[in-house]
Amino acid sequence: MPDADRPPAAAELVQRVCDWFPGAARDLPWRRPGTGAWPVMVSEFMLQQTPVARVLEPWRQWVERWPEPSALAADPVSEAIRAWGRLGYPRRAVRLHAAAVAITEHHGGVVPTDHDELLALPGVGGYTAAAVLSFAHRQRHVVLDTNVRRVLARTLDGRAHPDRSPTVAERRQAAALLPDDPARAAAWAASSMELGALVCTARSPACPRCPVADLCRWRALGHPAWDGPPRRGQTWQGTDRQCRGRLLAVLRDAVGTVPSAELLAAWPDRTQASRALAGLVADGLAVEDDHGVGLPGGGTGEAP
DNA sequence: AAATCGTGGCA
DNA sequence: TTGCCAAGATT
């Protein structure tokens, strides 16, 4: 078997990436020593499909206002939705609020340190549960986000991109790389993510700056182009998603309730707007009564 | 299990 | 300019 076809030594890969981290990592506020599990959890919710640069300010305001789960749980969901601002995917705000309520009511106000308990919370999937425990408690978990998946796809598999969603084989591969020592496993999680975010990026990888360039199978093969199924494009113009965003922006900026007709007028296609509104209501992002539409649990615009 | 769900920046 | 992409979760 030619060298280029042989996987690099796992230990060497982990070692080099972990050594690279201290001198290259960004100084992100949720990485500061002593950051609690709750602020870390808030950052992970916000970072789901959202770039770091756009999360920084909302995160700062969020954790200052709600320094612990019980504080958020004590406020209506409408406040969480407003504080979410324009981060996108506002259902995350609803789920984070619901998670805060669950933590307050069922976990004594403390973010669970058990993987399965964390996983049971609204909006917490495999990645987020592992990330919170790894970053906040230095527990040993496979943290498999889009960055890590890309790093492994390239270095080990010689492919430009990972598949759409993590496969069993992929998880197994990642688990095999995980150091036995929890602190070291946590360091690998943070380091491999950072490498994917700063160097081994999706569009313009900076191989000359990569600490494992000489171990990378993708590079050894000459950076073969992606030959898998076409990457799903996210259409936008005229979609229900765009419509939902428009309607929610109106509700977010409104003081109380907005008359239904006025809200629907914010979108050219009335039929589509009605469908989008129904979706917002179903997702707990809006409530409609005789007076109009508003954010849920807002306590405003109620009948006397 | 494929589809859905926001928003903005950048190559 | 526009398509692609970003620390995913849910149904």
Side-chain angles (χ1 to χ4, degrees):
Chain A
M1 174 188 286
D3 285 356
D5 292 335
R6 190 181 308 139
E12 181 71 9
L13 177 69
V14 172
Q15 178 72 49
R16 292 232 211 128
V17 175
C18 287
D19 287 347
W20 163 86
F21 184 82
R26 295 164 291 181
D27 179 25
L28 302 177
W30 44 84
R31 280 183 185 159
R32 285 175 316 213
T35 303
W38 172 244
V40 169
M41 182 169 159
V42 172
S43 79
E44 291 305 334
F45 266 73
M46 292 182 166
L47 287 164
Q48 290 169 3
Q49 297 286 284
T50 306
V52 165
R54 291 193 15 229
V55 166
L56 291 170
E57 183 55 22
W59 179 84
R60 189 190 63 74
Q61 296 181 15
W62 194 283
V63 298
E64 178 182 343
R65 180 174 180 183
W66 298 301
E68 51 190 278
S70 61
L72 176 58
D75 274 343
V77 195
S78 57
E79 289 304 295
I81 297 172
R82 283 204 172 89
W84 197 255
R86 302 185 65 79
L87 272 180
Y89 291 151
R91 287 188 294 194
R92 291 181 292 168
V94 175
R95 289 170 182 159
L96 182 50
H97 182 273
V101 170
I103 291 170
T104 302
E105 294 183 351
H106 304 306
H107 299 281
V110 179
V111 177
T113 57
D114 176 80
H115 186 273
D116 288 336
E117 291 182 349
L118 212 41
L119 200 54
L121 296 174
V124 177
Y127 163 76
T128 300
V132 168
L133 296 178
S134 180
F135 300 153
H137 299 299
R138 317 223 68 171
Q139 286 186 19
R140 183 177 182 275
H141 293 280
V142 172
V143 181
L144 205 56
D145 81 319
T146 187
N147 290 305
V148 178
R149 296 185 63 219
R150 186 172 52 250
V151 167
L152 298 185
R154 288 177 177 170
T155 56
L156 301 181
D157 299 339
R159 303 194 306 150
H161 299 285
D163 291 319
R164 281 224 145 288
S165 54
T167 62
V168 174
E170 203 176 338
R171 293 204 139 281
R172 194 163 155 280
Q173 181 185 54
L177 280 180
L178 202 61
D180 292 328
D181 176 54
R184 191 164 172 67
W188 159 248
S191 302
S192 52
M193 280 180 65
E194 193 74 344
L195 184 68
L198 297 182
V199 175
C200 194
T201 63
R203 290 194 225 181
S204 49
C207 300
R209 291 193 287 111
C210 182
V212 290
D214 60 311
L215 300 179
C216 182
R217 189 174 178 197
W218 186 51
R219 180 170 175 274
L221 293 173
H223 299 107
W226 172 247
D227 65 343
R231 329 266 307 146
R232 178 182 58 145
Q234 302 170 336
T235 56
W236 177 246
Q237 289 299 324
T239 60
D240 282 10
R241 271 162 101 170
Q242 185 187 24
C243 182
R244 283 168 57 111
R246 183 80 55 85
L247 299 184
L248 189 61
V250 172
L251 297 180
R252 194 193 299 126
D253 297 336
V255 173
T257 294
V258 178
S260 300
E262 183 181 324
L263 178 65
L264 297 180
W267 186 258
D269 184 339
R270 192 63 54 93
T271 299
Q272 186 178 27
S274 295
R275 183 172 66 241
L277 174 56
L280 290 175
V281 171
D283 288 343
L285 285 162
V287 291
E288 183 171 20
D289 60 21
D290 294 341
H291 298 80
V293 186
L295 295 180
T300 56
E302 295 170 353

